[in-house]
């Protein structure tokens, strides 16, 4: 398919890197592609970043048929690189499947993204810990208020320079173990990157923030016993000499940072398992002195050590509130590969 390109005539002023935060600034261009039943995916274009107008009746506004992805481009020794973009677009297609959205061509999406990032390469910040966050998403655009899968869609990619997702940066975050609300159940949308899952998380997130916590730890929606994931991250625990993360069970998001950490840890010969873990087991391990550290993994959050867990008003401090050894090694190695400071034996990094 042809990719049309229209460059902006009014480039924006770029923000200083020390005020970036996360998700507030957007680059000069965006990618858009339309879907209709008669033409399939068509009219792929890169255009100046701008407002888009839609009829109030389009289906995404009413029934939330929307999915998204998150990945990053890094300034690496003067070059610009992406991290595992194929994984993101494959996962986008899995989300398409879950929400009755027609799939995209993965290779075309990667090529279009490379072009978009290339055009806005001056927007990729180069201070330590910064990157260009990339947000691909698909929304239902048929103007119709009957409940059924839309017959029209738009696939859009926007990008913007970011710093750390949490104000804590790589410092440990406080996590509240959620008892009242659930994020997803098996058979629902939990393993898709559906916008609906994030809507479902807001209330719990707001209440946890009011209590002074950065994020919530979700338990399974049926028994409220087994650990699933943390707000915007997957979660790992170091129990004695075992590094454990919840097995993907249909309601957990299959994180690409999660997968990369598992591959890194296994390549170091460590004892890694993906299995069911109950919150009770974590607290018992803590009592026995076996809970050495815990951390979250995600594109936006990178590796985020957990310094405190609070479950049923029982609050425990992990790794003395410091960054644990495994969290540290993973952070250094993963970001080392992403910024091309260390070798990439897996072939994860893709040059733009
Ligand atoms: C990401 O890590 O890219 C995510 O999608 C989390 C996001 C909701 C901030």
């Amino acid at each position: 398919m042809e990719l049309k390109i229209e460059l902006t005539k009014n480039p924006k002023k770029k923000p200083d890197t020390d005020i970036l935060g996360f998700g507030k600034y957007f680059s000069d261009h965006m990618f858009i592609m339309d879907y209709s039943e008669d033409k399939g995916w068509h009219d792929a274009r890169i255009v100046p970043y701008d407002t888009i107008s839609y009829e109030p009746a389009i289906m995404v506004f009413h029934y939330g048929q929307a999915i998204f992805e998150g990945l990053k481009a890094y300034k690496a020794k003067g070059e610009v690189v992406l991290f595992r973009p194929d994984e993101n677009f494959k996962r986008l297609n899995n989300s398409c499947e879950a929400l009755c959205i027609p799939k995209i061509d993965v290779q075309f999406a990667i090529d279009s993204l490379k072009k978009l990032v290339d055009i806005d390469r001056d927007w990729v910040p180069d201070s330590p810990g910064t990157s260009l966050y990339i947000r691909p998403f698909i929304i239902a655009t048929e103007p119709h208020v009957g409940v059924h899968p839309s017959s029209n869609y738009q696939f859009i990619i926007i990008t913007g320079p970011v710093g750390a997702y949490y104000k804590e940066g790589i410092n440990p975050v406080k996590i509240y173990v959620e008892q009242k609300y659930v994020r997803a159940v098996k058979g629902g949308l939990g393993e898709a990157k559906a916008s609906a899952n994030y809507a479902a998380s807001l209330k719990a997130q707001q209440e946890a923030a009011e209590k002074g916590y950065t994020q919530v730890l979700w338990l399974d929606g049926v028994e409220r016993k087994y650990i699933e994931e943390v707000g915007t991250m997957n979660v790992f625990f170091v129990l004695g000499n075992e590094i454990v993360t919840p097995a993907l069970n249909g309601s957990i998001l299959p994180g690409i940072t999660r997968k990369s950490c598992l591959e890194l840890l296994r390549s170091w010969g460590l004892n890694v398992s993906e299995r069911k873990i109950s919150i009770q087991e974590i607290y018992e391990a803590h009592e026995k002195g076996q809970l050495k550290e815990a951390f979250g993994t995600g594109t936006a959050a990178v590796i985020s050590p957990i310094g405190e867990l609070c479950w049923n008003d029982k609050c425990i401090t992990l790794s003395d509130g410091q960054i644990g050894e495994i969290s540290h090694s993973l952070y250094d190695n993963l970001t080392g590969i992403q910024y091309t400071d260390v070798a990439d034996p897996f072939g994860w990094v893709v040059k733009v």
Side-chain angles (χ1 to χ4, degrees):
M1 194 190 320
E2 190 202 350
L3 175 62
K4 288 187 225 109
I5 296 174
E6 179 198 336
L7 297 181
T8 184
K9 295 191 179 65
N10 301 303
K12 292 182 279 192
K13 184 175 173 321
K14 297 179 184 61
D16 290 338
T17 46
D18 50 338
I19 58 152
L20 285 179
F22 185 89
K24 295 186 286 186
Y25 302 99
F26 301 98
S27 321
D28 279 328
H29 297 88
M30 60 185 177
F31 167 87
I32 308 188
M33 179 162 71
D34 299 316
Y35 178 90
S36 63
E37 279 175 349
D38 54 337
K39 294 190 189 155
W41 285 111
H42 66 281
D43 197 12
R45 57 216 187 261
I46 289 173
V47 291
Y49 180 94
D50 204 350
T51 52
I52 310 180
S53 58
Y54 296 108
E55 282 190 47
I58 67 166
M59 298 188 74
V60 68
F61 293 152
H62 305 275
Y63 309 120
Q65 199 188 0
I67 55 176
F68 72 96
E69 274 301 320
L71 68 160
K72 285 176 173 169
Y74 306 84
K75 192 62 83 55
K77 306 198 181 88
E79 307 262 22
V80 173
V81 300
L82 299 167
F83 184 72
R84 311 190 80 174
D86 53 325
E87 291 288 338
N88 288 90
F89 291 121
K90 280 190 229 155
R91 188 173 63 181
L92 187 70
N93 272 344
N94 292 340
S95 303
C96 284
E97 180 85 35
L99 277 100
C100 308
I101 297 173
K103 292 185 181 170
I104 51 139
D105 181 310
V106 169
Q107 193 53 50
F108 183 74
I110 296 174
D111 293 344
S112 303
L113 175 61
K114 282 187 179 168
K115 191 72 210 168
L116 178 68
V117 173
D118 186 30
I119 289 173
D120 279 339
R121 64 169 54 232
D122 289 347
W123 280 87
V124 187
D126 58 5
S127 314
T130 64
S131 55
L132 185 81
Y133 187 71
I134 299 166
R135 170 53 60 86
F137 61 105
I138 301 181
I139 54 169
T141 54
E142 180 189 350
H144 197 292
V145 292
V147 180
H148 59 77
S150 175
S151 53
N152 297 75
Y153 297 89
Q154 246 175 3
F155 172 30
I156 302 176
I157 309 178
I158 55 174
T159 73
V162 296
Y165 186 74
Y166 298 124
K167 66 171 178 12
E168 291 88 342
I170 179 77
N171 293 316
V173 291
K174 287 171 67 179
I175 301 290
Y176 185 77
V177 183
E178 183 53 52
Q179 296 274 85
K180 187 161 54 156
Y181 303 108
V182 299
R183 171 186 174 273
V185 288
K186 193 170 175 210
L189 292 177
E191 69 181 353
K193 210 159 169 65
S195 305
N197 290 329
Y198 296 80
S201 75
L202 297 177
K203 185 80 177 154
Q205 166 67 31
Q206 186 182 46
E207 290 184 12
E210 281 162 9
K211 295 186 188 98
Y213 292 88
T214 309
Q215 296 253 306
V216 301
L217 176 69
W218 295 107
L219 300 180
D220 76 277
V222 179
E223 294 182 75
R224 312 283 181 101
K225 270 193 197 164
Y226 296 101
I227 293 171
E228 300 240 303
E229 59 184 85
V230 172
T232 57
M233 314 184 280
N234 293 110
V235 66
F236 286 70
F237 298 89
V238 183
L239 303 178
N241 73 353
E242 181 193 19
I243 306 170
V244 54
T245 190
L248 299 178
N249 61 356
S251 58
I252 294 175
L253 183 83
I256 293 155
T257 312
R258 172 190 183 278
K259 179 173 177 175
S260 306
C261 286
L262 286 170
E263 288 170 42
L264 269 172
L265 292 166
R266 286 187 175 126
S267 77
W268 298 339
L270 297 175
N271 173 16
V272 185
S273 30
E274 295 172 74
R275 63 171 173 85
K276 268 184 148 180
I277 324 158
S278 68
I279 185 69
Q280 183 77 36
E281 178 183 345
I282 295 300
Y283 271 66
E284 282 170 10
H286 174 72
E287 265 161 39
K288 290 186 210 138
Q290 288 168 350
L291 175 59
K292 294 197 185 146
E293 57 183 291
F295 51 91
T297 64
T299 298
V302 195
I303 305 294
S304 182
I306 297 175
E308 186 183 318
L309 270 182
C310 197
W311 175 46
N312 272 339
D313 295 329
K314 280 178 277 168
C315 300
I316 57 177
T317 302
L318 286 79
S319 315
D320 294 324
Q322 305 297 311
I323 305 171
E325 199 186 325
I326 302 286
S327 316
H328 221 300
S329 306
L330 277 174
Y331 182 87
D332 287 349
N333 276 274
L334 188 68
T335 58
I337 292 175
Q338 290 166 335
Y339 290 93
T340 72
D341 292 326
V342 306
D344 170 21
F346 308 95
W348 287 339
V349 161
V350 175
K351 214 169 113 182
V352 169

